[in-house]
Amino acid sequence: MPRKPEPGNEYFRAATERSRRKAAFDGRPEASFADTALAAAVFAYAKRVEEEKSDTAALRWIVKAAAAILVAHPGRSFDAAEAERKIIQRAGMRRKPDAYRIRRVTKFIELPKVLHGVSK
């Protein structure tokens, strides 16, 4: 939700606008778009693992790591079980058009064959 502009902050607001215009011109996504894309990738991975009945160890690690990051937040005090529950909910909750688009664009990206940092 956009904040009300503060008159004393006009210089910084204008600098942010210039930065956003330059990023858009260069085709560089803002952090919020990258964050959303990462969350969507986790969703796509979860769906692929489910559909292909693949090993879920990496997915479980991602969920546990995200929950641990929330619990370790310096300014909040999140419960570990509640954090994990919310991560699971967010990883699986997508509107149907979004879910279809995400699955379509990630459909042909192969799942990793091995875990634990070993790659071919």
Side-chain angles (χ1 to χ4, degrees):
M1 174 176 232
R3 294 179 286 181
K4 284 185 179 181
E6 294 181 31
N9 204 22
E10 184 59 29
Y11 173 80
F12 295 108
R13 189 201 62 74
T16 299
E17 285 300 316
R18 284 191 302 275
S19 173
R20 285 184 173 156
R21 277 196 302 275
K22 183 176 181 339
F25 180 79
D26 293 344
R28 186 177 61 248
E30 292 184 40
S32 61
F33 288 103
D35 293 345
T36 301
L38 280 167
V42 171
F43 165 78
Y45 182 68
K47 287 298 175 193
R48 285 283 291 278
V49 165
E50 178 185 322
E51 290 168 4
E52 297 179 16
K53 296 177 181 25
S54 298
D55 187 1
T56 61
L59 184 59
R60 287 192 312 270
W61 186 91
I62 290 168
V63 169
K64 290 200 174 300
I69 291 166
L70 280 175
V71 170
H73 191 285
R76 302 289 178 115
S77 115
F78 296 118
D79 177 74
E82 289 299 324
E84 190 166 330
R85 192 172 296 125
K86 181 56 80 172
I87 294 297
I88 291 168
Q89 177 191 26
R90 296 298 294 159
M93 189 184 303
R94 297 283 169 199
R95 295 186 313 242
K96 283 189 180 184
D98 289 341
Y100 175 74
R101 179 180 55 84
I102 291 165
R103 288 296 294 122
R104 182 174 41 85
V105 301
T106 61
K107 184 178 187 175
F108 298 106
I109 299 171
E110 286 189 43
L111 287 175
K113 301 284 187 251
V114 291
L115 299 175
H116 305 295
V118 180
S119 60
K120 289 184 178 181

